[in-house]
């Protein structure tokens, strides 16, 4: 079976969150706190770890997958919301193009540019359950916010993605807006060089 899959990895930020959670429980034991406080501390540590995406990264949950059926964008580990950060499957019949584009995450304009991947859906596709607004910072139209992911905590192997796409959906191109020119009918007013945007999730 032809497929390409990437899983989340334990990043330095997630590792710090895990260490802080473990330290919280250890300190509680050393201070001989009552059992109820230790239980509350352990519960808080678990919630903190989940909020930082530590558990999902340790479990190496799927970040991205392309196979014969379509494209799966995995759950965003550091999001506790069930909407825009939740898992999304898009069948090839709804995929017009795969878009790669850079953004400055909101509130982190001083940090390096983050690469994003998004799926431009065909104009005839049914609306998603939520997240149908245009993806912030994406210079190509019809890329819903829910159908994008920042490539953080995992790596994209473009050659493998291209090979799988060519094998199972040869009519679906991969457009890298930081390197490839936009088609004339989609060259809108949005800047093409790392616009500032909200998190793609």
């Amino acid at each position: 079976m032809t497929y390409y899959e990437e899983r989340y990895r334990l990043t330095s930020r997630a590792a710090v969150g895990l260490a802080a959670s473990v330290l919280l429980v250890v300190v509680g034991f050393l201070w001989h706190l009552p059992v109820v406080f230790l239980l509350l501390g352990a519960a808080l540590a678990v919630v903190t770890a989940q909020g930082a995406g530590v558990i999902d990264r340790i479990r190496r949950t799927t970040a991205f997958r392309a196979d014969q059926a379509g494209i799966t964008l995995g759950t965003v580990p550091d999001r506790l919301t069930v909407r825009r950060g939740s898992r999304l499957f898009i069948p090839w019949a709804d995929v017009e193009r795969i878009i790669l584009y850079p953004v400055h995450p909101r509130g982190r304009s001083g940090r390096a540019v983050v690469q994003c991947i998004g799926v431009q859906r065909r104009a005839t596709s049914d609306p998603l359950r939520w997240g149908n607004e245009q993806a912030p910072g994406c210079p190509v139209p019809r890329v819903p916010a829910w159908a994008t992911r920042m490539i953080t905590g995992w790596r994209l192997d473009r050659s493998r993605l291209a090979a799988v796409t060519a094998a199972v959906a040869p009519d679906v191109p991969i457009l890298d807006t930081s390197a490839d020119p936009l088609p004339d009918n989609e060259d809108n007013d949005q800047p093409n060089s790392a616009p500032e945007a909200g998190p793609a999730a």
Side-chain angles (χ1 to χ4, degrees):
M1 181 177 178
T2 303
Y3 72 93
Y4 164 57
E5 183 176 76
E6 289 289 349
R7 294 178 177 271
Y8 285 107
R9 303 166 184 176
L10 188 63
T11 62
S12 56
R13 176 187 170 193
V16 169
L18 177 61
S21 301
V22 172
L23 181 62
L24 179 64
V25 175
V26 170
V27 168
F29 275 109
L30 293 178
W31 282 354
H32 303 290
L33 293 176
V35 175
V36 64
F37 287 109
L38 291 177
L39 292 176
L40 288 174
L44 179 61
V46 170
V47 171
T48 301
Q50 178 62 38
V54 175
I55 295 174
D56 284 326
R57 294 179 194 279
I58 291 175
R59 292 174 56 196
R60 291 185 56 80
T61 57
T62 298
F64 178 89
R65 180 182 173 97
D67 54 32
Q68 293 175 327
I71 293 175
T72 299
L73 301 172
T75 302
V76 180
D78 56 357
R79 285 193 177 233
L80 296 177
T81 57
V82 298
R83 294 201 170 191
R84 283 179 48 187
S86 60
R87 182 184 179 106
L88 174 63
F89 170 74
I90 305 173
W92 287 116
D94 289 351
V95 179
E96 185 163 325
R97 274 184 290 201
I98 298 170
I99 311 297
L100 303 176
Y101 64 100
V103 296
H104 285 293
R106 181 182 301 155
R108 291 184 258 175
S109 57
R111 295 184 60 180
V113 172
V114 175
Q115 190 77 358
C116 293
I117 186 167
V119 176
Q120 182 186 40
R121 303 176 74 237
R122 298 187 188 278
T124 56
S125 302
D126 293 334
L128 302 173
R129 286 179 292 168
W130 46 65
N132 286 286
E133 68 274 12
Q134 174 67 21
C138 182
V140 178
R142 297 198 317 280
V143 179
W146 190 19
T148 65
R149 294 292 183 273
M150 287 186 182
I151 305 175
T152 56
W154 61 284
R155 292 179 185 150
L156 178 70
D157 187 329
R158 176 157 178 186
S159 61
R160 289 183 61 194
L161 173 60
V164 170
T165 303
V168 301
D171 61 330
V172 175
I174 299 172
L175 175 65
D176 186 346
T177 64
S178 62
D180 305 328
L182 290 174
D184 292 338
N185 62 341
E186 292 179 352
D187 192 3
N188 54 31
D189 294 333
Q190 297 185 52
N192 194 19
S193 57
E196 185 171 348

